[in-house]
Amino acid sequence: ESWLPLEAVPEADLPSYISDLRARGWSIVAIEQATRSVPLQSFTFPPKCALLLGKEREGVPVELLNLVDYCVEIPQHGLIRSFNVHVTGAMVLWEYVRQQLKTKISD
């Protein structure tokens, strides 16, 4: 077992932080409903990735979406089409860990 590093970055610093991560070989995965989003159940997470979560009700700003490598969404139906950001984060982290454990077992 190991801990996943979590970092909160001030919004104004995000563009340069994202660029720095990408320069160090990280893939950036935004969690957002957008035209190029891939459903969570169809997405294979790169082993070395950083997750970008948006603000409640506002999501990830388009200027940041233009900086990411992938955009993933949790498909939903009905009147309310979003989860609270902490619920979304937990679901996505669970799927990331599930995939990584599956990869370890098959190696």
Side-chain angles (χ1 to χ4, degrees):
E1 291 183 38
S2 61
W3 293 94
L4 294 174
L6 298 176
E7 282 187 59
V9 178
E11 188 174 352
D13 298 341
L14 281 172
S16 61
Y17 185 78
I18 289 170
S19 295
D20 181 56
L21 284 176
R22 290 180 82 206
R24 292 187 285 144
W26 289 81
S27 295
I28 311 301
V29 180
I31 313 303
E32 183 61 79
Q33 296 169 340
T35 54
R36 67 182 183 121
S37 294
V38 175
L40 178 60
Q41 69 271 21
S42 302
F43 184 70
T44 301
F45 284 94
K48 189 174 176 181
C49 68
L51 302 176
L52 177 61
L53 301 171
K55 292 181 185 178
E56 297 285 350
R57 292 187 215 127
E58 297 174 28
V60 178
V62 70
E63 54 274 3
L64 293 178
L65 286 177
N66 292 330
L67 301 176
V68 303
D69 300 297
Y70 307 99
C71 194
V72 175
E73 70 176 273
I74 301 170
Q76 299 168 60
H77 304 283
L79 296 174
I80 305 297
R81 293 196 31 145
S82 67
F83 291 110
N84 290 344
V85 70
H86 69 278
V87 172
T88 297
M91 292 171 71
V92 171
L93 283 173
W94 179 88
E95 179 60 18
Y96 171 83
V97 171
R98 186 192 71 77
Q99 289 182 20
Q100 297 309 305
L101 289 173
K102 186 178 175 183
T103 301
K104 272 187 177 179
I105 290 170
S106 62
D107 285 346

